[in-house]
Short mmCIF file of all heavy atoms in Angstrom, two decimals:
data_model
loop_
_atom_site.label_atom_id
_atom_site.label_comp_id
_atom_site.label_asym_id
_atom_site.label_seq_id
_atom_site.Cartn_x
_atom_site.Cartn_y
_atom_site.Cartn_z
N ALA B 54 72.12 91.32 87.31
CA ALA B 54 70.67 91.37 87.51
C ALA B 54 70.35 91.57 88.99
O ALA B 54 70.91 90.90 89.84
CB ALA B 54 70.04 90.08 87.01
N GLY B 55 69.45 92.48 89.28
CA GLY B 55 69.09 92.78 90.67
C GLY B 55 70.04 93.76 91.31
O GLY B 55 69.95 94.05 92.50
N GLY B 56 70.96 94.29 90.51
CA GLY B 56 72.01 95.16 91.06
C GLY B 56 71.48 96.47 91.61
O GLY B 56 72.04 96.99 92.57
N VAL B 57 70.42 96.99 91.03
CA VAL B 57 69.91 98.29 91.52
C VAL B 57 69.35 98.12 92.93
O VAL B 57 69.64 98.93 93.82
CB VAL B 57 68.83 98.85 90.56
CG1 VAL B 57 68.23 100.13 91.14
CG2 VAL B 57 69.45 99.13 89.19
N SER B 58 68.59 97.05 93.13
CA SER B 58 68.04 96.85 94.48
C SER B 58 69.18 96.58 95.47
O SER B 58 69.14 97.01 96.62
CB SER B 58 67.01 95.74 94.52
OG SER B 58 67.53 94.58 93.96
N ASP B 59 70.21 95.89 95.00
CA ASP B 59 71.35 95.63 95.87
C ASP B 59 72.07 96.94 96.21
O ASP B 59 72.47 97.16 97.36
CB ASP B 59 72.32 94.66 95.17
CG ASP B 59 73.41 94.17 96.10
OD1 ASP B 59 73.07 93.75 97.23
OD2 ASP B 59 74.59 94.21 95.73
N THR B 130 69.01 93.19 100.75
CA THR B 130 68.56 93.38 99.37
C THR B 130 67.19 92.73 99.14
O THR B 130 66.39 93.24 98.36
CB THR B 130 69.59 92.73 98.41
OG1 THR B 130 70.87 93.17 98.80
CG2 THR B 130 69.34 93.11 96.97
N PHE B 131 66.96 91.63 99.82
CA PHE B 131 65.71 90.90 99.60
C PHE B 131 64.49 91.74 100.00
O PHE B 131 63.58 91.93 99.18
CB PHE B 131 65.75 89.56 100.32
CG PHE B 131 64.62 88.64 99.97
CD1 PHE B 131 64.45 88.16 98.69
CD2 PHE B 131 63.69 88.27 100.93
CE1 PHE B 131 63.39 87.34 98.36
CE2 PHE B 131 62.64 87.43 100.62
CZ PHE B 131 62.49 86.96 99.34
N VAL B 133 64.35 94.91 100.29
CA VAL B 133 64.31 96.08 99.41
C VAL B 133 63.72 95.69 98.06
O VAL B 133 62.86 96.39 97.51
CB VAL B 133 65.74 96.68 99.24
CG1 VAL B 133 65.78 97.68 98.10
CG2 VAL B 133 66.18 97.34 100.53
N ALA B 134 64.16 94.54 97.53
CA ALA B 134 63.66 94.09 96.24
C ALA B 134 62.16 93.79 96.31
O ALA B 134 61.40 94.15 95.40
CB ALA B 134 64.43 92.85 95.79
N LEU B 135 61.74 93.18 97.40
CA LEU B 135 60.31 92.88 97.56
C LEU B 135 59.50 94.18 97.60
O LEU B 135 58.46 94.30 96.96
CB LEU B 135 60.09 92.12 98.87
CG LEU B 135 59.97 90.60 98.80
CD1 LEU B 135 59.66 90.04 100.18
CD2 LEU B 135 58.91 90.14 97.82
N THR B 136 60.00 95.14 98.37
CA THR B 136 59.30 96.41 98.50
C THR B 136 59.21 97.11 97.14
O THR B 136 58.16 97.62 96.75
CB THR B 136 60.02 97.32 99.53
OG1 THR B 136 60.22 96.56 100.72
CG2 THR B 136 59.23 98.56 99.85
N LEU B 137 60.35 97.12 96.41
CA LEU B 137 60.34 97.74 95.08
C LEU B 137 59.33 97.05 94.18
O LEU B 137 58.60 97.70 93.42
CB LEU B 137 61.73 97.67 94.45
CG LEU B 137 62.81 98.60 95.00
CD1 LEU B 137 64.14 98.32 94.32
CD2 LEU B 137 62.42 100.05 94.80
N SER B 138 59.29 95.72 94.28
CA SER B 138 58.36 94.96 93.44
C SER B 138 56.92 95.35 93.72
O SER B 138 56.13 95.52 92.79
CB SER B 138 58.52 93.46 93.69
OG SER B 138 59.76 93.04 93.25
N ILE B 139 56.59 95.46 94.99
CA ILE B 139 55.20 95.78 95.33
C ILE B 139 54.89 97.24 94.96
O ILE B 139 53.79 97.56 94.52
CB ILE B 139 54.92 95.51 96.83
CG1 ILE B 139 55.29 94.06 97.20
CG2 ILE B 139 53.47 95.79 97.19
CD1 ILE B 139 54.52 92.99 96.44
N ILE B 141 55.99 98.82 92.50
CA ILE B 141 55.87 98.99 91.05
C ILE B 141 54.54 98.45 90.53
O ILE B 141 54.18 98.71 89.38
CB ILE B 141 57.08 98.31 90.35
CG1 ILE B 141 57.40 98.99 89.01
CG2 ILE B 141 56.87 96.84 90.12
CD1 ILE B 141 58.19 100.21 89.12
N PRO B 164 62.01 91.98 81.40
CA PRO B 164 63.48 92.04 81.44
C PRO B 164 64.00 93.25 82.22
O PRO B 164 65.00 93.15 82.93
CB PRO B 164 63.89 92.12 79.96
CG PRO B 164 62.68 92.53 79.22
CD PRO B 164 61.49 92.10 80.02
N LEU B 165 63.25 94.37 82.07
CA LEU B 165 63.70 95.60 82.74
C LEU B 165 63.69 95.43 84.26
O LEU B 165 64.67 95.71 84.96
CB LEU B 165 62.77 96.73 82.32
CG LEU B 165 63.27 98.14 82.55
CD1 LEU B 165 64.46 98.43 81.67
CD2 LEU B 165 62.15 99.15 82.27
N LEU B 166 62.55 94.94 84.75
CA LEU B 166 62.42 94.78 86.21
C LEU B 166 63.34 93.68 86.73
O LEU B 166 63.89 93.77 87.83
CB LEU B 166 60.97 94.47 86.59
CG LEU B 166 59.99 95.63 86.40
CD1 LEU B 166 58.59 95.20 86.81
CD2 LEU B 166 60.42 96.85 87.20
N TYR B 167 63.53 92.64 85.92
CA TYR B 167 64.44 91.57 86.34
C TYR B 167 65.83 92.15 86.54
O TYR B 167 66.51 91.83 87.52
CB TYR B 167 64.47 90.46 85.29
CG TYR B 167 65.47 89.37 85.61
CD1 TYR B 167 65.26 88.50 86.67
CD2 TYR B 167 66.65 89.26 84.89
CE1 TYR B 167 66.19 87.52 86.99
CE2 TYR B 167 67.59 88.28 85.21
CZ TYR B 167 67.35 87.41 86.25
OH TYR B 167 68.28 86.45 86.58
N TRP B 168 66.23 93.01 85.64
CA TRP B 168 67.58 93.56 85.77
C TRP B 168 67.69 94.53 86.94
O TRP B 168 68.72 94.60 87.62
CB TRP B 168 68.02 94.25 84.46
CG TRP B 168 69.50 94.25 84.37
CD1 TRP B 168 70.36 95.25 84.71
CD2 TRP B 168 70.33 93.14 83.98
NE1 TRP B 168 71.66 94.84 84.56
CE2 TRP B 168 71.67 93.55 84.10
CE3 TRP B 168 70.06 91.85 83.54
CZ2 TRP B 168 72.74 92.71 83.79
CZ3 TRP B 168 71.13 91.03 83.23
CH2 TRP B 168 72.45 91.45 83.36
N ILE B 169 66.63 95.25 87.21
CA ILE B 169 66.68 96.26 88.29
C ILE B 169 66.52 95.59 89.66
O ILE B 169 67.27 95.84 90.59
CB ILE B 169 65.58 97.32 88.09
CG1 ILE B 169 65.90 98.15 86.84
CG2 ILE B 169 65.45 98.22 89.31
CD1 ILE B 169 64.78 99.07 86.41
N ILE B 170 65.52 94.71 89.75
CA ILE B 170 65.13 94.18 91.06
C ILE B 170 65.66 92.78 91.30
O ILE B 170 65.94 92.38 92.42
CB ILE B 170 63.59 94.19 91.18
CG1 ILE B 170 63.08 95.63 91.09
CG2 ILE B 170 63.12 93.55 92.48
CD1 ILE B 170 61.58 95.75 90.99
N GLY B 171 65.81 92.02 90.22
CA GLY B 171 66.19 90.62 90.37
C GLY B 171 64.97 89.74 90.23
O GLY B 171 63.87 90.22 89.89
N PRO B 172 65.12 88.45 90.47
CA PRO B 172 64.01 87.52 90.22
C PRO B 172 62.74 87.80 91.02
O PRO B 172 61.65 87.38 90.61
CB PRO B 172 64.58 86.16 90.61
CG PRO B 172 65.96 86.37 91.05
CD PRO B 172 66.35 87.78 90.87
N VAL B 173 62.87 88.53 92.14
CA VAL B 173 61.66 88.87 92.92
C VAL B 173 60.69 89.72 92.10
O VAL B 173 59.50 89.80 92.40
CB VAL B 173 62.10 89.58 94.23
CG1 VAL B 173 60.99 90.39 94.83
CG2 VAL B 173 62.58 88.55 95.23
N SER B 174 61.20 90.30 91.02
CA SER B 174 60.33 91.13 90.16
C SER B 174 59.18 90.32 89.59
O SER B 174 58.18 90.90 89.14
CB SER B 174 61.14 91.74 89.02
OG SER B 174 61.70 90.72 88.22
N VAL B 175 59.31 89.01 89.63
CA VAL B 175 58.20 88.16 89.18
C VAL B 175 56.94 88.49 89.98
O VAL B 175 55.82 88.46 89.46
CB VAL B 175 58.59 86.66 89.30
CG1 VAL B 175 58.71 86.21 90.72
CG2 VAL B 175 57.60 85.79 88.57
N ALA B 177 56.08 91.41 91.09
CA ALA B 177 55.49 92.64 90.54
C ALA B 177 54.62 92.32 89.33
O ALA B 177 53.48 92.80 89.23
CB ALA B 177 56.61 93.61 90.15
N HIS B 227 71.80 88.40 94.69
CA HIS B 227 72.10 89.30 95.82
C HIS B 227 71.25 89.06 97.06
O HIS B 227 71.36 89.80 98.01
CB HIS B 227 71.87 90.75 95.39
CG HIS B 227 72.68 91.18 94.23
ND1 HIS B 227 74.04 91.30 94.28
CD2 HIS B 227 72.33 91.50 92.97
CE1 HIS B 227 74.49 91.69 93.11
NE2 HIS B 227 73.48 91.82 92.29
N TYR B 228 70.39 88.08 97.04
CA TYR B 228 69.44 87.97 98.15
C TYR B 228 69.98 87.20 99.34
O TYR B 228 69.46 87.31 100.44
CB TYR B 228 68.15 87.28 97.67
CG TYR B 228 67.43 87.99 96.56
CD1 TYR B 228 66.59 87.31 95.70
CD2 TYR B 228 67.58 89.37 96.37
CE1 TYR B 228 65.91 87.96 94.68
CE2 TYR B 228 66.92 90.02 95.34
CZ TYR B 228 66.09 89.32 94.50
OH TYR B 228 65.43 89.95 93.49
#
Side-chain angles (χ1 to χ4, degrees):
Chain B
V57 175
S58 53
D59 189 48
T130 312
F131 189 63
V133 167
L135 262 184
T136 309
L137 286 176
S138 293
I139 305 299
I141 208 81
L165 197 67
L166 291 180
Y167 175 71
W168 205 263
I169 292 171
I170 297 171
V173 159
S174 60
V175 69
H227 302 293
Y228 301 156

